[in-house]
């Protein structure tokens, strides 16, 4: 992605310090960043910090740098405006079209995607005024992120924390890649996502694992939640990923635990996305003590394996048997390589037929592709025979395309 012009608005919340990381990461990504704090924001973080991090002058009012007319120019020229943190007050001013400082004036002149990352106490976030303001901004096409839950300013906890800078910038990058990636179109949908790689214990210290980083599944959970879905993420082992904001995370380790968690949560879900890399086999016996390498013992131990239950096929079967009356879309993932019998798509089509899911996301693996990396490509196969290519892009972009397909599938099923 080439250099883009990004305006970072900072409103006066306690989380204003996190905007420094947002700015730093955007600048490090090669973008031209202009920081526009409100007067209140400057009581939390000084202009010098933002000027140093962005390498650009920082103004707050419309009467600064008048010859450059920044109150019009900044918004007109921006490729993206990110407001982080967005206070309750800033959201209200944005809704009512105020232009009483440089940030609100910029929001009125911007025609690019606008991303608000709200942060406030739970009471402020849940107040009908804020709820209505958020709905109005979304209706007008802005992206308003769900805040994270956790520790707030004081000793209290709840929904209202600013998502981590990495998470905000993930969405910033997504909107720069694809402006229409985050419609708020999944409200009312309960989405169950599995992600990461399972570990099958051999003894107290060893396990059979796999190379799944969890990034693709986390990205699907993150995008679905920000598109309005109520998301539960069953997370096996990942590359130390941060929990997506607004998502209920259930941690598991082995294939059996993942299976049990899916069985527990699937009856409520409307959509199941099986992105986890679930081990096909597990050791028949788990040694209670560490298996020792005894001196002089040349014979290596043999580990007998037994098949794990196929979670995806089990979910499809349960739906067919009428045990999942709410379930409207089941999405499988296939990491495939070609062989002498056929190419990746040949094997993927066979898998789609075998598993009986509604959509199958197919990644070609091997040669450093798909696993542990940030970029991905592949195909999306539907049970009705439709096939589309998922062009190469970030895993978040890929997730937005997968969620598009799910939304379209739900629409089709409804209509
Ligand atoms: C210590 C402190 C922390 C605050 N944190 C928040 C916050 O996290 N979210 C919020 O909406 N308002 C917060 N406020 C209130 C805002 O600062 C206040 O509404 C201000 O008018 C916001 O102005 P602005 O939206 O123009 O930046 C806080 C105030 C103080 C004194």
């Amino acid at each position: 992605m080439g250099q883009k012009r990004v305006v970072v608005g900072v409103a006066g919340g306690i989380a204003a310090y996190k905007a420094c990381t947002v700015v730093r990461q955007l600048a490090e990504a090669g973008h031209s960043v202009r920081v526009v704090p409100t007067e209140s924001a400057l009581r939390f973080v000084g202009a010098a910090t933002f000027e140093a991090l962005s390498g650009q002058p920082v103004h707050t009012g419309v009467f600064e740098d008048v010859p450059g007319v920044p109150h019009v120019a900044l918004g007109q020229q921006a490729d993206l405006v990110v407001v982080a943190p967005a206070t309750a007050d800033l959201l209200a001013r944005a809704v009512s079209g105020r232009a009483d400082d440089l940030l609100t004036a910029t929001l009125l002149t911007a025609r690019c995607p606008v991303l608000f990352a709200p942060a406030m106490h739970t009471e402020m976030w849940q107040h009908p005024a804020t709820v209505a303001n958020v709905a109005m901004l979304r209706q007008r096409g802005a992206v308003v992120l769900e805040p994270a839950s956790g520790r707030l300013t004081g000793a209290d906890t709840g929904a209202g924390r600013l998502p981590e800078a990495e998470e905000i910038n993930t969405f910033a990058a997504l909107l720069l890649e694809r402006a229409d990636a985050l419609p708020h179109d999944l409200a009312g949908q309960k989405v169950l996502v599995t992600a990461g790689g399972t570990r099958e214990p051999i003894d107290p210290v060893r396990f059979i694992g796999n190379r799944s980083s969890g990034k693709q599944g986390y990205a699907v959970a993150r995008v679905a939640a920000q598109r309005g879905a109520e998301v539960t993420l069953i997370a096996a082992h990942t590359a130390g990923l941060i929990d997506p904001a607004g998502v209920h995370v259930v941690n598991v380790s082995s294939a059996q635990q993942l299976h049990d968690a899916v069985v527990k949560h699937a009856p409520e879900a409307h959509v199941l996305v099986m992105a986890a890399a679930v081990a096909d086999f597990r050791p028949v016996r788990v040694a209670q003590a560490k298996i020792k390498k005894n001196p002089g013992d040349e014979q290596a131990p043999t580990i007998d394996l037994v098949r794990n239950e196929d979670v995806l096929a089990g979910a499809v079967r349960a739906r067919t048997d009428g045990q999942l009356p709410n379930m409207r879309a089941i999405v499988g993932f296939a990491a495939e390589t070609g062989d002498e019998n056929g190419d990746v798509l040949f094997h993927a089509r066979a898998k789609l037929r075998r598993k009986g899911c509604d959509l199958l996301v197919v990644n070609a693996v091997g040669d450093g592709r798909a696993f542990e990396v940030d970029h991905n490509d592949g195909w999306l196969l539907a049970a009705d025979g439709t096939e589309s290519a998922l062009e190469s892009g970030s895993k978040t972009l890929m997730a937005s395309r997968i969620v598009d397909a799910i939304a379209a599938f739900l629409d089709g099923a409804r209509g």
Side-chain angles (χ1 to χ4, degrees), residues 10-15 38 40-41 44 86-90 93 101 119-121 124 153:
V10 185
I14 190 73
T38 62
S40 308
F44 292 90
T87 54
D89 176 71
L90 190 280
R93 289 195 292 134
D101 61 11
M120 62 199 73
H121 263 79
M124 293 174 93
T153 320

Side-chain angles (χ1 to χ4, degrees), residues 227-309:
R227 283 173 70 154
E230 195 181 308
V231 180
T232 299
L233 172 62
I234 298 175
H237 295 273
T238 72
L241 304 180
I242 53 171
D243 288 352
V247 168
H248 173 55
V249 181
V250 177
N251 290 108
V252 295
S253 182
S254 67
Q256 184 63 48
Q257 289 171 357
L258 187 139
H259 167 270
D260 293 349
V262 170
V263 167
K264 178 173 172 199
H265 292 279
E268 289 213 324
H270 301 114
V271 179
L272 171 64
V273 181
M274 281 291 305
V278 186
D280 292 324
F281 306 99
R282 67 175 183 277
V284 174
R285 281 173 301 280
V286 181
Q288 294 307 305
K290 185 182 170 194
I291 299 170
K292 305 286 187 305
K293 184 178 68 177
N294 293 321
D297 192 355
E298 290 307 311
Q299 188 73 34
T302 308
I303 300 169
D304 291 326
L305 299 176
V306 60
R307 275 185 84 130
N308 282 324
E309 253 181 275

Side-chain angles (χ1 to χ4, degrees), residues 255-398:
Q256 184 63 48
Q257 289 171 357
L258 187 139
H259 167 270
D260 293 349
V262 170
V263 167
K264 178 173 172 199
H265 292 279
E268 289 213 324
H270 301 114
V271 179
L272 171 64
V273 181
M274 281 291 305
V278 186
D280 292 324
F281 306 99
R282 67 175 183 277
V284 174
R285 281 173 301 280
V286 181
Q288 294 307 305
K290 185 182 170 194
I291 299 170
K292 305 286 187 305
K293 184 178 68 177
N294 293 321
D297 192 355
E298 290 307 311
Q299 188 73 34
T302 308
I303 300 169
D304 291 326
L305 299 176
V306 60
R307 275 185 84 130
N308 282 324
E309 253 181 275
D310 184 329
V311 183
L312 177 60
V316 170
R317 220 172 27 244
R319 179 173 63 171
T320 310
D321 293 348
Q323 292 163 24
L324 302 175
N326 295 324
M327 189 66 78
R328 298 169 56 209
I330 299 183
V331 186
F333 275 65
E336 287 291 349
T337 55
D339 61 16
E340 64 282 0
N341 294 319
D343 62 6
V344 169
L345 272 177
F346 171 85
H347 289 291
R349 288 180 192 123
K351 182 164 184 175
L352 178 63
R353 278 194 299 276
R354 207 168 56 242
K355 299 277 186 178
C357 52
D358 304 305
L359 296 166
L360 187 72
V361 181
V362 185
N363 296 126
V365 294
D367 303 329
R369 297 172 72 175
F371 287 123
E372 296 169 334
V373 293
D374 290 323
H375 279 66
N376 214 355
D377 61 3
W379 297 268
L380 198 60
L381 310 187
D384 67 2
T386 325
E387 297 184 356
S388 51
L390 292 168
E391 282 153 39
S392 176
S394 68
K395 286 189 174 174
T396 317
L397 181 67
M398 207 63 60

